[in-house]
């Protein structure tokens, strides 16, 4: 895949189908919103998982508005899932293949420690799904204060740097390691009033593309999913007057993350994958 290529989700799936004769995993429609937020969260589907039951998966931001869906998708495959967040417990996901680790991903030493704990316990690390991030906006660049700038830097870029630096040596050993990072559609469509947020989401995309180039020799892939506005509780609270039916369902993003982790996506690396609601 050419350096810096940005492809819409449909192109990735259909191009792969042309090479293999079938759409990988699930048809394009499986990635489109189809269920309510409540049913998605409470009833994760059983999925084939492409032999994921032998894999060890580390998910950051595992119990947030999107992280819950991502965690449940991977748990449903039988993979060993280590879910991390600033506050998380085993009770959040009672499945036998789930392990909870509370960690502050803005602290480099803490991040390295949790990665080493995972590898020491399970002997390997195969997949990293970095969901963690944060949002602040509504002011111009000239009115952005230091605290907001630093918060957006730490949550959206520094945390990713810390976990990538700690995890990559172990992911390389997997032989078919996967890095899936959740970014934002604003990384390629900047908006006024979101200067700090967009700056670090854009930098995040560049960081992951660099990782993809540096690790192609090991079979490790690294890709960024760029969601539009998602139908999460936080977004509903922040924009109560919006038309929620036009927002992207988190389950669609989780499905794409799972597909990128599977062996059938081995040829996709360094890609920025926009995904948004099909409602206009």
């Amino acid at each position: 895949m050419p350096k810096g290529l940005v492809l819409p989700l449909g192109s990735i799936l259909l191009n792969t189908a042309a090479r293999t004769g079938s759409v990988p995993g699930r048809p394009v429609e499986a990635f489109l919103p189809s269920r309510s937020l409540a049913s998605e969260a409470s009833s994760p589907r059983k999925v084939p998982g492409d032999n994921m039951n032998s894999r060890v998966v580390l998910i950051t931001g595992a119990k947030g508005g999107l992280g819950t869906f991502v965690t449940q998708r991977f748990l449903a495959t039988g993979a060993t899932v280590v879910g991390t967040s600033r506050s998380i417990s085993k009770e959040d996901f009672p499945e036998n293949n789930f392990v909870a680790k509370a960690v502050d991903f803005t602290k480099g030493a803490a991040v390295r420690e949790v990665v080493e704990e995972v590898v020491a316990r399970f002997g390997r690390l195969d997949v990293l799904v970095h969901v963690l991030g944060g949002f602040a906006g509504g002011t111009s660049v000239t009115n952005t204060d230091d605290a907001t700038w630093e918060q957006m830097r730490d949550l959206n870029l520094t945390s990713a740097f810390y976990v990538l630096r700690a995890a990559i040596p172990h992911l390389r050993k997997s032989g078919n390691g996967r890095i899936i990072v959740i970014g934002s559609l604003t990384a390629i469509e900047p908006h006024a009033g979101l200067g700090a947020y967009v700056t670090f989401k854009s930098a995040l995309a560049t960081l992951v593309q660099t990782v993809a180039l540096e690790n192609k020799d090991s079979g490790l892939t690294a890709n960024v999913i760029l969601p539009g506005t998602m139908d999460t509780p936080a977004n509903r609270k922040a924009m109560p007057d919006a038309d929620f039916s036009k927002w992207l369902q988190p389950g669609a993003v989780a499905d794409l993350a799972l597909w990128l982790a599977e062996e059938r996506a081995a040829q996709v690396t360094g890609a920025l994958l926009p995904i948004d609601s099909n409602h206009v």
Side-chain angles (χ1 to χ4, degrees):
M1 182 167 290
K3 179 180 179 182
L5 183 61
V6 179
L7 292 178
L9 172 59
S11 297
I12 288 289
L13 293 175
L14 296 177
N15 288 343
T16 304
R19 292 195 302 270
T20 64
S22 63
V23 174
R26 291 171 293 281
V28 173
E29 288 77 13
F31 293 97
L32 298 178
S34 59
R35 282 176 295 237
S36 70
L37 185 63
S39 64
E40 283 277 0
S42 61
S43 303
R45 297 192 308 278
K46 292 295 181 183
V47 293
D50 198 28
N51 297 320
M52 288 292 295
N53 60 347
S54 63
R55 310 271 269 170
V56 177
V57 181
L58 175 63
I59 302 176
T60 72
K63 73 168 196 176
L66 171 61
T68 296
F69 290 85
V70 173
T71 301
Q72 290 176 333
R73 287 294 190 274
F74 279 88
L75 285 171
T77 70
T80 297
V81 176
V82 181
T84 64
S85 185
R86 193 181 292 263
S87 174
I88 194 169
S89 69
K90 174 67 176 177
E91 288 68 33
D92 291 313
F93 301 93
E95 287 85 347
N96 291 332
N97 51 326
F98 178 75
V99 176
K101 291 285 184 181
V103 61
D104 182 353
F105 276 86
T106 67
K107 308 295 183 184
V111 173
R112 187 177 298 278
E113 180 179 344
V114 76
V115 171
E116 295 300 330
E117 285 181 7
V118 171
V119 175
R121 177 169 177 176
F122 299 106
R124 59 189 297 141
L125 178 61
D126 301 294
V127 180
L128 168 65
V129 188
H130 183 63
V131 183
L132 180 71
F135 174 81
T139 60
S140 67
V141 170
T142 56
N143 291 323
T144 299
D145 58 35
D146 291 353
T148 300
W149 180 265
E150 292 166 4
Q151 180 190 48
M152 291 299 93
R153 178 198 63 202
D154 292 347
L155 290 176
N156 294 308
L157 182 61
T158 302
S159 64
F161 167 68
Y162 285 154
V163 73
L164 289 169
R165 184 176 62 181
I168 285 171
H170 304 291
L171 292 166
R172 286 179 60 88
K173 293 176 184 177
S174 172
N176 58 350
R178 298 286 184 269
I179 295 170
I180 301 110
V181 173
I182 306 301
S184 169
L185 196 57
T186 60
I188 54 174
E189 296 180 2
H191 298 280
L194 302 179
Y197 176 77
V198 171
T199 294
F200 295 113
K201 285 298 189 183
S202 298
L204 173 65
T206 300
L207 176 64
V208 177
Q209 288 184 310
T210 303
V211 165
L213 291 171
E214 292 176 346
N215 293 280
K216 289 177 67 174
D217 63 304
S218 69
L220 172 60
T221 69
N223 296 287
V224 187
I225 299 174
L226 305 176
T229 302
M230 286 184 285
D231 189 359
T232 64
N235 283 341
R236 287 192 176 205
K237 182 178 180 180
M239 295 172 276
D241 297 327
D243 183 353
F244 305 147
S245 69
K246 294 183 178 181
W247 287 358
L248 174 65
Q249 291 299 315
V253 181
D255 281 338
L256 178 53
L258 179 58
W259 181 77
L260 287 169
E262 296 174 353
E263 185 58 32
R264 65 197 74 198
Q267 303 304 311
V268 181
T269 192
L272 308 182
L273 304 172
I275 176 171
D276 206 354
S277 172
N278 62 331
H279 297 290
V280 295

